[in-house]
Amino acid sequence: MKAILTGHTRGLGAAIAEKLLSRNIAVLGLSRHGNAQLGAQYPALLEQVALDLSDTDALARWLAGDSLRRFLAGDQNVLLVNNAGVLQPIGPIRLQDPAAIARAVSLNVAAPLMLAGAFASASPDAGDRRVMHISSGAGRSAYPGWSVYCATKAALDHHARAVVLDQTPGLRICSLAPGVIDTDMQAEIRKATLEQFPLRERFEALKRDGNLADPKECARRLVDYLVSESFGQMPVADLREIGE
C-alpha cells in the first residue's frame, strides 16, 4: 500500500504521516518544507517533495511530470489524503485581502481537486484507490468571519458527492471532518480579534476545558477509517460520528 499526503510536516498532517509510516505504508509527502524527523525515522518509506500547493502553476507542472505515476506504480492499493489547508483570511468580507482569498482557494480547493484528478489518472491499474479530503464542520455550518474557509471546505464536500456519482471503478472518496483538534490552527483562531471572529471565546473555552482532540489520536482513528472496508460508503462524513 502507498499513500500521497499533503501538508505532512506539522499538526494533523504530521500525525497522519507517522501513523501511515508506522503501518509500513510508503508515503509521498507534498509540502513547502520537509519533515526531517520522519525522514530520518523512515528513510526507506518516506519520499518528500518540496512544493507550494497554493501555487497552482507549480503544482500543474509537477503533475505534468511522471513523479506521481512512478510512485504509484506496482501497487494495487493506493491512497490520497488531501490534508493541507489554510484558515486565513479571517474576518468579515470587507476586511478580507484579495490575495489571501486567492491563496486560500488555491490551497484549500484547487490543489485537492487537481491532485484527486491526477491521482485517478495515474493509478488506472490499481484495484483499490481511495481519496480522503480533510474537510471541516465549517463546510457544513456557517461561522461569522470564516466565509472563505467555510466555502472552501464546502467545496471539498460537494466535490466528493459529485465524484461518487461518476462511479469510477475501484475509486472510493470521502470528505471527512476530523473534529476540533489541538493544532496550530486552533492557536491561530484564539489569536483572532472579536471583530475578525465573534465566536473566539467558544474556541478559547474548548482549549481551557481540555475539549480539543489530540492530533495523534485523531490521526490513528482517521487512518483506521481510511484503510477500513467501510471507507467511502458515505461521501461526506464526520470522524466523531464513526465508531471505533
Side-chain angles (χ1 to χ4, degrees):
M1 185 176 290
K2 295 179 179 178
I4 300 157
L5 171 64
T6 66
H8 70 293
T9 59
R10 61 177 185 162
L12 179 61
I16 294 171
E18 195 280 329
K19 294 302 178 186
L20 290 168
L21 292 163
S22 68
R23 290 171 177 249
N24 204 38
I25 297 173
V27 172
L28 174 61
L30 306 179
S31 185
R32 285 182 300 168
H33 309 290
N35 189 320
Q37 179 180 345
L38 288 180
Q41 189 174 355
Y42 298 97
L45 285 176
L46 178 60
E47 180 178 340
Q48 304 186 73
V49 174
L51 191 61
D52 182 354
L53 295 169
S54 68
D55 186 340
T56 54
D57 289 338
L59 177 57
R61 287 193 297 271
W62 183 78
L63 291 173
D66 65 349
S67 297
L68 185 63
R69 188 180 298 274
R70 186 174 65 251
F71 175 77
L72 296 173
D75 205 300
Q76 287 295 301
N77 302 288
V78 293
L79 315 168
L80 167 64
V81 181
N82 284 311
N83 164 74
V86 65
L87 178 64
Q88 297 289 350
I90 302 176
I93 190 169
R94 62 185 173 82
L95 298 180
Q96 293 171 4
D97 176 60
I101 295 172
R103 180 173 185 271
V105 173
S106 296
L107 180 58
N108 294 5
V109 182
L113 270 57
M114 292 167 69
L115 283 162
F119 173 79
S121 177
S123 58
D125 298 325
D128 188 357
R129 297 174 289 175
R130 304 185 181 197
V131 176
M132 177 183 283
H133 296 321
I134 301 301
S135 184
S136 169
R140 299 150 206 184
S141 298
Y143 289 81
W146 284 9
S147 57
V148 174
Y149 186 69
C150 289
T152 58
K153 292 302 183 179
L156 295 183
D157 291 353
H158 220 45
H159 177 258
R161 294 185 185 104
V163 168
V164 168
L165 300 179
D166 291 339
Q167 298 183 341
T168 302
L171 180 69
R172 310 187 201 189
I173 188 169
C174 179
S175 189
L176 183 75
V180 188
I181 310 166
D182 196 3
T183 63
D184 290 345
M185 184 176 288
Q186 284 297 312
E188 185 179 354
I189 291 168
R190 295 191 297 273
K191 290 179 181 177
T193 66
L194 288 176
E195 182 184 21
Q196 291 174 311
F197 186 49
L199 300 181
R200 185 193 69 195
E201 292 175 352
R202 180 191 300 180
F203 286 79
E204 288 175 333
L206 289 173
K207 175 67 171 179
R208 183 178 63 248
D209 299 339
N211 290 326
L212 296 177
D214 176 68
K216 292 184 178 181
E217 174 60 17
C218 180
R220 181 192 66 78
R221 295 190 61 220
L222 187 151
V223 171
D224 283 348
Y225 179 60
L226 176 61
V227 300
S228 72
E229 281 303 311
S230 58
F231 179 81
Q233 291 179 359
M234 301 176 291
V236 175
D238 191 310
L239 189 62
R240 292 165 293 189
E241 299 171 358
I242 296 171
E244 290 283 353

